[in-house]
Amino acid sequence: MKVSTKGQYALIMMLDLAINYNGEYITIKSIAKRQVLSEKYLEQIMSTLVKTKFVRSGRGSKGGYKLAKEPSCYTVGNILRTIEGSLSPVAALDDDINVQMKDSVTFEVWERLNDAINNVVDSITLEELVDKHMQKVGYEYII
Amino acid sequence: MKVSTKGQYALIMMLDLAINYNGEYITIKSIAKRQVLSEKYLEQIMSTLVKTKFVRSGRGSKGGYKLAKEPSCYTVGNILRTIEGSLSPVAALDDDINVQMKDSVTFEVWERLNDAINNVVDSITLEELVDKHMQKVGYEYII
DNA sequence: ATATATCAGAGTAAAATACTAGGAAAAGAG
DNA sequence: CTCTTTTCCTAGTATTTTACTCTGATATAT
């Protein structure tokens, strides 16, 4: 029942892009330094975020990444799913096979668990996280 | 975010023991046949269920397994945790290290997810699952 | 040109997952 | 007392996943 580091780092990077946005592209290097994470690994994760159009990239000097949309357009669920695939607790919930298994009593447990997970991750937006972060650190550094 | 087959099978076996209880011990062989699962693998999982006192075992002929307590005494959470360990979505929630990480904004996401997961699995008892099963199959076979 | 980035794909060590295999030990049945 | 049944215990193993690293090509502002 674990979210992989890939998923965790994807969320951290999306949040970093949102918080540190100033119109310009933000480099992997600066994100890796701020978050103390492997540059090359983040690069790899970011590349799938680019492919799924969650972020836009610019190459060369002055290049880097920025969010493709407003922070309010992303949920934690969106972000995790684009990196991790389905968040369902058992594979049987995803494929349409296992027809008879679907009315077993244990299957209902996994359905309820799935609903609870989705309910949480789909209800939290990146904007919400940015706001919470700002409340914690304060706005003093904005001038 | 997956529950392993070990966890899934543990729940299936506990439910099987509850549903097919008739005072006598129930063998792994019969459970494996009913559930169409590997005998040897189930045996391994059952052994940890014995060690954690969730089930009692008897050896030799007429041996097998039975629940140590009433079905109402077990929750899905109990069972999964005894097999899978912590169900928390990220390791950081378990260890007391990562003190500074604990007031990060993403950490709150994992806390909410953790609460949602625990809330579901701890609120479903084995008794409840047995009842639901009986409603599905009906009581006609009891004579 | 050159320094700075992303982009692309391969490689890899370690851990987890999902089993399988073999034999010892206990206990009831004949 | 022996045979069969069943748990108990430990080891092995193939596959997949995880968490990265490495190398080099390509694009772009200065």
mmCIF file of all heavy atoms in Angstrom, chain A residues 74-121:
data_model
loop_
_atom_site.group_PDB
_atom_site.id
_atom_site.type_symbol
_atom_site.label_atom_id
_atom_site.label_comp_id
_atom_site.label_asym_id
_atom_site.label_seq_id
_atom_site.Cartn_x
_atom_site.Cartn_y
_atom_site.Cartn_z
ATOM 1 N N TYR A 74 -4.942 21.132 -11.213
ATOM 2 C CA TYR A 74 -4.378 19.821 -10.909
ATOM 3 C C TYR A 74 -4.837 19.315 -9.548
ATOM 4 O O TYR A 74 -4.850 20.081 -8.581
ATOM 5 C CB TYR A 74 -2.847 19.887 -10.863
ATOM 6 C CG TYR A 74 -2.217 20.445 -12.095
ATOM 7 C CD1 TYR A 74 -1.868 21.790 -12.168
ATOM 8 C CD2 TYR A 74 -1.965 19.631 -13.203
ATOM 9 C CE1 TYR A 74 -1.277 22.314 -13.309
ATOM 10 C CE2 TYR A 74 -1.374 20.143 -14.340
ATOM 11 C CZ TYR A 74 -1.030 21.494 -14.387
ATOM 12 O OH TYR A 74 -0.448 22.002 -15.511
ATOM 13 N N THR A 75 -5.166 18.029 -9.494
ATOM 14 C CA THR A 75 -5.412 17.410 -8.185
ATOM 15 C C THR A 75 -4.254 16.454 -7.897
ATOM 16 O O THR A 75 -3.534 16.046 -8.816
ATOM 17 C CB THR A 75 -6.729 16.600 -8.163
ATOM 18 O OG1 THR A 75 -6.591 15.483 -9.031
ATOM 19 C CG2 THR A 75 -7.911 17.449 -8.576
ATOM 20 N N VAL A 76 -4.111 16.116 -6.634
ATOM 21 C CA VAL A 76 -3.100 15.139 -6.246
ATOM 22 C C VAL A 76 -3.346 13.827 -6.992
ATOM 23 O O VAL A 76 -2.410 13.172 -7.457
ATOM 24 C CB VAL A 76 -3.127 14.902 -4.717
ATOM 25 C CG1 VAL A 76 -2.240 13.734 -4.325
ATOM 26 C CG2 VAL A 76 -2.691 16.164 -3.984
ATOM 27 N N GLY A 77 -4.616 13.486 -7.150
ATOM 28 C CA GLY A 77 -4.975 12.265 -7.874
ATOM 29 C C GLY A 77 -4.491 12.289 -9.312
ATOM 30 O O GLY A 77 -3.918 11.308 -9.797
ATOM 31 N N ASN A 78 -4.723 13.400 -10.000
ATOM 32 C CA ASN A 78 -4.227 13.553 -11.382
ATOM 33 C C ASN A 78 -2.748 13.264 -11.467
ATOM 34 O O ASN A 78 -2.287 12.496 -12.310
ATOM 35 C CB ASN A 78 -4.374 15.021 -11.851
ATOM 36 C CG ASN A 78 -5.807 15.458 -12.056
ATOM 37 O OD1 ASN A 78 -6.094 16.645 -11.993
ATOM 38 N ND2 ASN A 78 -6.684 14.513 -12.276
ATOM 39 N N ILE A 79 -2.016 13.926 -10.593
ATOM 40 C CA ILE A 79 -0.556 13.862 -10.621
ATOM 41 C C ILE A 79 -0.059 12.455 -10.323
ATOM 42 O O ILE A 79 0.760 11.901 -11.052
ATOM 43 C CB ILE A 79 0.041 14.874 -9.624
ATOM 44 C CG1 ILE A 79 -0.345 16.295 -10.042
ATOM 45 C CG2 ILE A 79 1.546 14.724 -9.534
ATOM 46 C CD1 ILE A 79 -0.163 17.347 -8.958
ATOM 47 N N LEU A 80 -0.575 11.863 -9.251
ATOM 48 C CA LEU A 80 -0.132 10.507 -8.889
ATOM 49 C C LEU A 80 -0.474 9.506 -9.984
ATOM 50 O O LEU A 80 0.336 8.661 -10.330
ATOM 51 C CB LEU A 80 -0.767 10.075 -7.562
ATOM 52 C CG LEU A 80 -0.296 10.825 -6.318
ATOM 53 C CD1 LEU A 80 -0.958 10.261 -5.071
ATOM 54 C CD2 LEU A 80 1.227 10.763 -6.175
ATOM 55 N N ARG A 81 -1.680 9.614 -10.543
ATOM 56 C CA ARG A 81 -2.088 8.645 -11.560
ATOM 57 C C ARG A 81 -1.269 8.745 -12.836
ATOM 58 O O ARG A 81 -1.005 7.743 -13.495
ATOM 59 C CB ARG A 81 -3.575 8.804 -11.879
ATOM 60 C CG ARG A 81 -4.453 8.021 -10.931
ATOM 61 C CD ARG A 81 -5.902 8.035 -11.323
ATOM 62 N NE ARG A 81 -6.727 8.070 -10.101
ATOM 63 C CZ ARG A 81 -7.269 9.153 -9.604
ATOM 64 N NH1 ARG A 81 -7.122 10.320 -10.227
ATOM 65 N NH2 ARG A 81 -7.972 9.089 -8.497
ATOM 66 N N THR A 82 -0.866 9.946 -13.181
ATOM 67 C CA THR A 82 -0.089 10.093 -14.429
ATOM 68 C C THR A 82 1.290 9.458 -14.279
ATOM 69 O O THR A 82 1.900 9.043 -15.261
ATOM 70 C CB THR A 82 0.018 11.576 -14.841
ATOM 71 O OG1 THR A 82 0.183 11.648 -16.256
ATOM 72 C CG2 THR A 82 1.193 12.284 -14.210
ATOM 73 N N ILE A 83 1.756 9.350 -13.046
ATOM 74 C CA ILE A 83 3.073 8.764 -12.788
ATOM 75 C C ILE A 83 2.963 7.299 -12.384
ATOM 76 O O ILE A 83 3.703 6.447 -12.861
ATOM 77 C CB ILE A 83 3.799 9.536 -11.655
ATOM 78 C CG1 ILE A 83 4.124 10.960 -12.100
ATOM 79 C CG2 ILE A 83 5.071 8.815 -11.216
ATOM 80 C CD1 ILE A 83 5.124 11.047 -13.226
ATOM 81 N N GLU A 84 2.034 6.994 -11.514
ATOM 82 C CA GLU A 84 1.922 5.656 -10.938
ATOM 83 C C GLU A 84 0.950 4.735 -11.669
ATOM 84 O O GLU A 84 0.938 3.542 -11.413
ATOM 85 C CB GLU A 84 1.415 5.761 -9.490
ATOM 86 C CG GLU A 84 2.271 6.594 -8.587
ATOM 87 C CD GLU A 84 2.749 5.801 -7.386
ATOM 88 O OE1 GLU A 84 1.940 5.109 -6.777
ATOM 89 O OE2 GLU A 84 3.957 5.876 -7.088
ATOM 90 N N GLY A 85 0.130 5.305 -12.508
ATOM 91 C CA GLY A 85 -0.953 4.509 -13.073
ATOM 92 C C GLY A 85 -2.077 4.454 -12.060
ATOM 93 O O GLY A 85 -2.141 5.288 -11.165
ATOM 94 N N SER A 86 -2.955 3.481 -12.173
ATOM 95 C CA SER A 86 -4.102 3.369 -11.272
ATOM 96 C C SER A 86 -3.687 3.303 -9.802
ATOM 97 O O SER A 86 -2.693 2.689 -9.455
ATOM 98 C CB SER A 86 -4.893 2.125 -11.625
ATOM 99 O OG SER A 86 -5.761 1.779 -10.570
ATOM 100 N N LEU A 87 -4.485 3.944 -8.954
ATOM 101 C CA LEU A 87 -4.212 3.911 -7.519
ATOM 102 C C LEU A 87 -5.026 2.841 -6.804
ATOM 103 O O LEU A 87 -5.005 2.753 -5.583
ATOM 104 C CB LEU A 87 -4.523 5.281 -6.899
ATOM 105 C CG LEU A 87 -3.723 6.472 -7.439
ATOM 106 C CD1 LEU A 87 -4.182 7.760 -6.783
ATOM 107 C CD2 LEU A 87 -2.232 6.276 -7.213
ATOM 108 N N SER A 88 -5.745 2.035 -7.566
ATOM 109 C CA SER A 88 -6.613 1.033 -6.948
ATOM 110 C C SER A 88 -5.804 0.013 -6.154
ATOM 111 O O SER A 88 -4.716 -0.375 -6.566
ATOM 112 C CB SER A 88 -7.449 0.334 -8.005
ATOM 113 O OG SER A 88 -6.620 -0.420 -8.857
ATOM 114 N N PRO A 89 -6.348 -0.413 -4.999
ATOM 115 C CA PRO A 89 -5.614 -1.279 -4.078
ATOM 116 C C PRO A 89 -5.406 -2.713 -4.559
ATOM 117 O O PRO A 89 -4.546 -3.400 -4.027
ATOM 118 C CB PRO A 89 -6.455 -1.238 -2.811
ATOM 119 C CG PRO A 89 -7.820 -0.887 -3.265
ATOM 120 C CD PRO A 89 -7.655 -0.002 -4.446
ATOM 121 N N VAL A 90 -6.188 -3.156 -5.527
ATOM 122 C CA VAL A 90 -5.951 -4.483 -6.115
ATOM 123 C C VAL A 90 -6.166 -4.409 -7.621
ATOM 124 O O VAL A 90 -7.015 -3.655 -8.099
ATOM 125 C CB VAL A 90 -6.864 -5.592 -5.521
ATOM 126 C CG1 VAL A 90 -6.680 -5.706 -4.002
ATOM 127 C CG2 VAL A 90 -8.310 -5.358 -5.872
ATOM 128 N N ALA A 91 -5.406 -5.200 -8.359
ATOM 129 C CA ALA A 91 -5.440 -5.161 -9.822
ATOM 130 C C ALA A 91 -6.816 -5.507 -10.373
ATOM 131 O O ALA A 91 -7.233 -4.974 -11.401
ATOM 132 C CB ALA A 91 -4.391 -6.117 -10.386
ATOM 133 N N ALA A 92 -7.539 -6.373 -9.652
ATOM 134 C CA ALA A 92 -8.840 -6.833 -10.124
ATOM 135 C C ALA A 92 -9.818 -5.684 -10.357
ATOM 136 O O ALA A 92 -10.728 -5.776 -11.179
ATOM 137 C CB ALA A 92 -9.436 -7.821 -9.134
ATOM 138 N N LEU A 93 -9.623 -4.570 -9.644
ATOM 139 C CA LEU A 93 -10.512 -3.421 -9.809
ATOM 140 C C LEU A 93 -10.315 -2.746 -11.164
ATOM 141 O O LEU A 93 -11.210 -2.046 -11.650
ATOM 142 C CB LEU A 93 -10.255 -2.385 -8.704
ATOM 143 C CG LEU A 93 -10.891 -2.666 -7.345
ATOM 144 C CD1 LEU A 93 -10.227 -1.839 -6.266
ATOM 145 C CD2 LEU A 93 -12.378 -2.369 -7.378
ATOM 146 N N ASP A 94 -9.151 -2.937 -11.767
ATOM 147 C CA ASP A 94 -8.843 -2.257 -13.020
ATOM 148 C C ASP A 94 -9.332 -3.017 -14.244
ATOM 149 O O ASP A 94 -9.957 -2.457 -15.128
ATOM 150 C CB ASP A 94 -7.332 -2.032 -13.126
ATOM 151 C CG ASP A 94 -6.817 -1.166 -11.986
ATOM 152 O OD1 ASP A 94 -7.525 -0.213 -11.606
ATOM 153 O OD2 ASP A 94 -5.724 -1.441 -11.472
ATOM 154 N N ASP A 95 -9.023 -4.319 -14.307
ATOM 155 C CA ASP A 95 -9.407 -5.051 -15.506
ATOM 156 C C ASP A 95 -10.825 -5.581 -15.436
ATOM 157 O O ASP A 95 -11.368 -5.857 -14.379
ATOM 158 C CB ASP A 95 -8.413 -6.184 -15.812
ATOM 159 C CG ASP A 95 -7.932 -6.898 -14.576
ATOM 160 O OD1 ASP A 95 -8.736 -7.655 -13.992
ATOM 161 O OD2 ASP A 95 -6.785 -6.673 -14.190
ATOM 162 N N ASP A 96 -11.423 -5.695 -16.616
ATOM 163 C CA ASP A 96 -12.846 -6.061 -16.721
ATOM 164 C C ASP A 96 -13.027 -7.572 -16.678
ATOM 165 O O ASP A 96 -14.133 -8.070 -16.775
ATOM 166 C CB ASP A 96 -13.423 -5.510 -18.018
ATOM 167 C CG ASP A 96 -12.667 -4.294 -18.493
ATOM 168 O OD1 ASP A 96 -12.943 -3.203 -17.975
ATOM 169 O OD2 ASP A 96 -11.775 -4.456 -19.357
ATOM 170 N N ILE A 97 -11.899 -8.284 -16.584
ATOM 171 C CA ILE A 97 -11.977 -9.736 -16.461
ATOM 172 C C ILE A 97 -12.521 -10.018 -15.042
ATOM 173 O O ILE A 97 -13.160 -9.155 -14.459
ATOM 174 C CB ILE A 97 -10.568 -10.379 -16.628
ATOM 175 C CG1 ILE A 97 -9.722 -9.487 -17.551
ATOM 176 C CG2 ILE A 97 -10.672 -11.776 -17.192
ATOM 177 C CD1 ILE A 97 -8.239 -9.772 -17.505
ATOM 178 N N ASN A 98 -12.284 -11.174 -14.476
ATOM 179 C CA ASN A 98 -12.704 -11.469 -13.098
ATOM 180 C C ASN A 98 -14.167 -11.132 -12.839
ATOM 181 O O ASN A 98 -14.503 -10.535 -11.830
ATOM 182 C CB ASN A 98 -11.870 -10.687 -12.084
ATOM 183 C CG ASN A 98 -10.393 -10.983 -12.210
ATOM 184 O OD1 ASN A 98 -9.931 -11.374 -13.273
ATOM 185 N ND2 ASN A 98 -9.674 -10.838 -11.121
ATOM 186 N N VAL A 99 -15.043 -11.479 -13.761
ATOM 187 C CA VAL A 99 -16.449 -11.107 -13.645
ATOM 188 C C VAL A 99 -17.090 -11.716 -12.401
ATOM 189 O O VAL A 99 -17.770 -11.034 -11.651
ATOM 190 C CB VAL A 99 -17.251 -11.539 -14.900
ATOM 191 C CG1 VAL A 99 -18.645 -10.947 -14.862
ATOM 192 C CG2 VAL A 99 -16.521 -11.103 -16.153
ATOM 193 N N GLN A 100 -16.852 -13.004 -12.195
ATOM 194 C CA GLN A 100 -17.471 -13.670 -11.052
ATOM 195 C C GLN A 100 -16.878 -13.179 -9.730
ATOM 196 O O GLN A 100 -17.561 -13.112 -8.723
ATOM 197 C CB GLN A 100 -17.293 -15.184 -11.148
ATOM 198 C CG GLN A 100 -15.826 -15.635 -11.124
ATOM 199 C CD GLN A 100 -15.707 -17.154 -11.140
ATOM 200 O OE1 GLN A 100 -16.570 -17.822 -11.696
ATOM 201 N NE2 GLN A 100 -14.670 -17.684 -10.548
ATOM 202 N N MET A 101 -15.588 -12.813 -9.798
ATOM 203 C CA MET A 101 -14.903 -12.322 -8.603
ATOM 204 C C MET A 101 -15.534 -11.012 -8.138
ATOM 205 O O MET A 101 -15.482 -10.682 -6.970
ATOM 206 C CB MET A 101 -13.423 -12.101 -8.948
ATOM 207 C CG MET A 101 -12.500 -11.907 -7.750
ATOM 208 S SD MET A 101 -12.171 -10.191 -7.404
ATOM 209 C CE MET A 101 -10.766 -10.329 -6.288
ATOM 210 N N LYS A 102 -16.138 -10.299 -9.092
ATOM 211 C CA LYS A 102 -16.652 -8.962 -8.802
ATOM 212 C C LYS A 102 -17.824 -8.938 -7.839
ATOM 213 O O LYS A 102 -18.161 -7.888 -7.309
ATOM 214 C CB LYS A 102 -17.026 -8.253 -10.118
ATOM 215 C CG LYS A 102 -15.774 -7.827 -10.903
ATOM 216 C CD LYS A 102 -15.845 -6.395 -11.368
ATOM 217 C CE LYS A 102 -14.470 -5.845 -11.737
ATOM 218 N NZ LYS A 102 -14.208 -5.733 -13.164
ATOM 219 N N ASP A 103 -18.528 -10.051 -7.658
ATOM 220 C CA ASP A 103 -19.573 -10.007 -6.648
ATOM 221 C C ASP A 103 -19.196 -10.785 -5.397
ATOM 222 O O ASP A 103 -20.043 -11.171 -4.614
ATOM 223 C CB ASP A 103 -20.941 -10.444 -7.196
ATOM 224 C CG ASP A 103 -20.892 -11.799 -7.835
ATOM 225 O OD1 ASP A 103 -19.996 -12.599 -7.494
ATOM 226 O OD2 ASP A 103 -21.733 -12.068 -8.683
ATOM 227 N N SER A 104 -17.904 -10.993 -5.217
ATOM 228 C CA SER A 104 -17.455 -11.615 -3.974
ATOM 229 C C SER A 104 -17.430 -10.542 -2.892
ATOM 230 O O SER A 104 -17.372 -9.353 -3.170
ATOM 231 C CB SER A 104 -16.076 -12.233 -4.141
ATOM 232 O OG SER A 104 -15.089 -11.247 -4.061
ATOM 233 N N VAL A 105 -17.491 -10.999 -1.665
ATOM 234 C CA VAL A 105 -17.571 -10.089 -0.530
ATOM 235 C C VAL A 105 -16.269 -9.311 -0.321
ATOM 236 O O VAL A 105 -16.283 -8.139 0.037
ATOM 237 C CB VAL A 105 -17.953 -10.895 0.735
ATOM 238 C CG1 VAL A 105 -17.533 -10.172 1.988
ATOM 239 C CG2 VAL A 105 -19.451 -11.169 0.748
ATOM 240 N N THR A 106 -15.139 -9.979 -0.576
ATOM 241 C CA THR A 106 -13.864 -9.275 -0.404
ATOM 242 C C THR A 106 -13.703 -8.176 -1.453
ATOM 243 O O THR A 106 -13.087 -7.154 -1.185
ATOM 244 C CB THR A 106 -12.654 -10.239 -0.493
ATOM 245 O OG1 THR A 106 -12.748 -10.987 -1.695
ATOM 246 C CG2 THR A 106 -12.619 -11.176 0.687
ATOM 247 N N PHE A 107 -14.279 -8.421 -2.615
ATOM 248 C CA PHE A 107 -14.180 -7.414 -3.672
ATOM 249 C C PHE A 107 -14.779 -6.090 -3.228
ATOM 250 O O PHE A 107 -14.269 -5.019 -3.544
ATOM 251 C CB PHE A 107 -14.893 -7.914 -4.935
ATOM 252 C CG PHE A 107 -14.561 -7.103 -6.146
ATOM 253 C CD1 PHE A 107 -13.358 -7.271 -6.800
ATOM 254 C CD2 PHE A 107 -15.453 -6.151 -6.629
ATOM 255 C CE1 PHE A 107 -13.042 -6.510 -7.921
ATOM 256 C CE2 PHE A 107 -15.146 -5.388 -7.741
ATOM 257 C CZ PHE A 107 -13.935 -5.577 -8.390
ATOM 258 N N GLU A 108 -15.870 -6.166 -2.464
ATOM 259 C CA GLU A 108 -16.508 -4.952 -1.948
ATOM 260 C C GLU A 108 -15.591 -4.178 -1.011
ATOM 261 O O GLU A 108 -15.657 -2.958 -0.931
ATOM 262 C CB GLU A 108 -17.805 -5.310 -1.206
ATOM 263 C CG GLU A 108 -18.947 -5.658 -2.132
ATOM 264 C CD GLU A 108 -20.240 -5.917 -1.356
ATOM 265 O OE1 GLU A 108 -20.517 -5.186 -0.383
ATOM 266 O OE2 GLU A 108 -20.958 -6.857 -1.738
ATOM 267 N N VAL A 109 -14.759 -4.927 -0.291
ATOM 268 C CA VAL A 109 -13.787 -4.267 0.592
ATOM 269 C C VAL A 109 -12.845 -3.407 -0.245
ATOM 270 O O VAL A 109 -12.594 -2.247 0.064
ATOM 271 C CB VAL A 109 -12.960 -5.310 1.384
ATOM 272 C CG1 VAL A 109 -11.835 -4.642 2.159
ATOM 273 C CG2 VAL A 109 -13.861 -6.100 2.319
ATOM 274 N N TRP A 110 -12.341 -4.008 -1.338
ATOM 275 C CA TRP A 110 -11.395 -3.271 -2.195
ATOM 276 C C TRP A 110 -12.072 -2.093 -2.875
ATOM 277 O O TRP A 110 -11.447 -1.050 -3.083
ATOM 278 C CB TRP A 110 -10.756 -4.203 -3.214
ATOM 279 C CG TRP A 110 -10.211 -5.473 -2.617
ATOM 280 C CD1 TRP A 110 -10.421 -6.742 -3.046
ATOM 281 C CD2 TRP A 110 -9.362 -5.584 -1.455
ATOM 282 N NE1 TRP A 110 -9.766 -7.641 -2.229
ATOM 283 C CE2 TRP A 110 -9.112 -6.958 -1.250
ATOM 284 C CE3 TRP A 110 -8.801 -4.667 -0.568
ATOM 285 C CZ2 TRP A 110 -8.323 -7.435 -0.192
ATOM 286 C CZ3 TRP A 110 -8.018 -5.133 0.488
ATOM 287 C CH2 TRP A 110 -7.779 -6.492 0.654
ATOM 288 N N GLU A 111 -13.341 -2.249 -3.186
ATOM 289 C CA GLU A 111 -14.079 -1.129 -3.792
ATOM 290 C C GLU A 111 -14.210 0.030 -2.820
ATOM 291 O O GLU A 111 -14.007 1.191 -3.185
ATOM 292 C CB GLU A 111 -15.476 -1.589 -4.243
ATOM 293 C CG GLU A 111 -15.463 -2.368 -5.538
ATOM 294 C CD GLU A 111 -16.868 -2.764 -5.988
ATOM 295 O OE1 GLU A 111 -17.669 -3.225 -5.137
ATOM 296 O OE2 GLU A 111 -17.164 -2.636 -7.163
ATOM 297 N N ARG A 112 -14.531 -0.290 -1.584
ATOM 298 C CA ARG A 112 -14.680 0.769 -0.573
ATOM 299 C C ARG A 112 -13.359 1.467 -0.313
ATOM 300 O O ARG A 112 -13.299 2.689 -0.134
ATOM 301 C CB ARG A 112 -15.246 0.191 0.733
ATOM 302 C CG ARG A 112 -16.737 -0.083 0.639
ATOM 303 C CD ARG A 112 -17.295 -0.684 1.910
ATOM 304 N NE ARG A 112 -17.117 0.156 3.097
ATOM 305 C CZ ARG A 112 -17.538 -0.175 4.315
ATOM 306 N NH1 ARG A 112 -18.152 -1.337 4.488
ATOM 307 N NH2 ARG A 112 -17.351 0.630 5.336
ATOM 308 N N LEU A 113 -12.289 0.653 -0.294
ATOM 309 C CA LEU A 113 -10.952 1.213 -0.079
ATOM 310 C C LEU A 113 -10.574 2.124 -1.256
ATOM 311 O O LEU A 113 -10.065 3.240 -1.075
ATOM 312 C CB LEU A 113 -9.948 0.064 0.054
ATOM 313 C CG LEU A 113 -8.563 0.379 0.600
ATOM 314 C CD1 LEU A 113 -8.609 1.188 1.878
ATOM 315 C CD2 LEU A 113 -7.787 -0.919 0.819
ATOM 316 N N ASN A 114 -10.866 1.638 -2.445
ATOM 317 C CA ASN A 114 -10.591 2.414 -3.654
ATOM 318 C C ASN A 114 -11.321 3.756 -3.628
ATOM 319 O O ASN A 114 -10.730 4.802 -3.911
ATOM 320 C CB ASN A 114 -11.035 1.592 -4.876
ATOM 321 C CG ASN A 114 -10.507 2.152 -6.176
ATOM 322 O OD1 ASN A 114 -9.378 2.662 -6.225
ATOM 323 N ND2 ASN A 114 -11.292 2.071 -7.233
ATOM 324 N N ASP A 115 -12.591 3.706 -3.267
ATOM 325 C CA ASP A 115 -13.388 4.940 -3.198
ATOM 326 C C ASP A 115 -12.786 5.921 -2.202
ATOM 327 O O ASP A 115 -12.708 7.124 -2.462
ATOM 328 C CB ASP A 115 -14.837 4.622 -2.792
ATOM 329 C CG ASP A 115 -15.597 3.906 -3.902
ATOM 330 O OD1 ASP A 115 -15.098 3.887 -5.050
ATOM 331 O OD2 ASP A 115 -16.681 3.362 -3.626
ATOM 332 N N ALA A 116 -12.376 5.396 -1.050
ATOM 333 C CA ALA A 116 -11.818 6.267 -0.008
ATOM 334 C C ALA A 116 -10.529 6.932 -0.481
ATOM 335 O O ALA A 116 -10.317 8.126 -0.265
ATOM 336 C CB ALA A 116 -11.556 5.453 1.260
ATOM 337 N N ILE A 117 -9.680 6.155 -1.137
ATOM 338 C CA ILE A 117 -8.414 6.684 -1.655
ATOM 339 C C ILE A 117 -8.676 7.767 -2.698
ATOM 340 O O ILE A 117 -8.150 8.874 -2.611
ATOM 341 C CB ILE A 117 -7.565 5.537 -2.275
ATOM 342 C CG1 ILE A 117 -7.064 4.594 -1.176
ATOM 343 C CG2 ILE A 117 -6.399 6.102 -3.079
ATOM 344 C CD1 ILE A 117 -6.509 3.274 -1.689
ATOM 345 N N ASN A 118 -9.510 7.426 -3.668
ATOM 346 C CA ASN A 118 -9.801 8.389 -4.733
ATOM 347 C C ASN A 118 -10.439 9.648 -4.184
ATOM 348 O O ASN A 118 -10.150 10.755 -4.644
ATOM 349 C CB ASN A 118 -10.713 7.766 -5.791
ATOM 350 C CG ASN A 118 -9.984 6.724 -6.610
ATOM 351 O OD1 ASN A 118 -8.769 6.804 -6.779
ATOM 352 N ND2 ASN A 118 -10.704 5.748 -7.104
ATOM 353 N N ASN A 119 -11.304 9.477 -3.215
ATOM 354 C CA ASN A 119 -11.989 10.619 -2.627
ATOM 355 C C ASN A 119 -10.992 11.619 -2.036
ATOM 356 O O ASN A 119 -11.147 12.827 -2.197
ATOM 357 C CB ASN A 119 -12.948 10.129 -1.540
ATOM 358 C CG ASN A 119 -13.956 11.189 -1.177
ATOM 359 O OD1 ASN A 119 -14.444 11.904 -2.046
ATOM 360 N ND2 ASN A 119 -14.259 11.308 0.100
ATOM 361 N N VAL A 120 -9.984 11.114 -1.377
ATOM 362 C CA VAL A 120 -8.972 12.002 -0.790
ATOM 363 C C VAL A 120 -8.131 12.667 -1.876
ATOM 364 O O VAL A 120 -8.059 13.889 -1.962
ATOM 365 C CB VAL A 120 -8.043 11.239 0.183
ATOM 366 C CG1 VAL A 120 -6.863 12.107 0.611
ATOM 367 C CG2 VAL A 120 -8.822 10.783 1.406
ATOM 368 N N VAL A 121 -7.507 11.860 -2.710
ATOM 369 C CA VAL A 121 -6.555 12.439 -3.672
ATOM 370 C C VAL A 121 -7.217 13.325 -4.724
ATOM 371 O O VAL A 121 -6.590 14.273 -5.207
ATOM 372 C CB VAL A 121 -5.685 11.354 -4.358
ATOM 373 C CG1 VAL A 121 -4.843 10.613 -3.331
ATOM 374 C CG2 VAL A 121 -6.534 10.397 -5.171
#
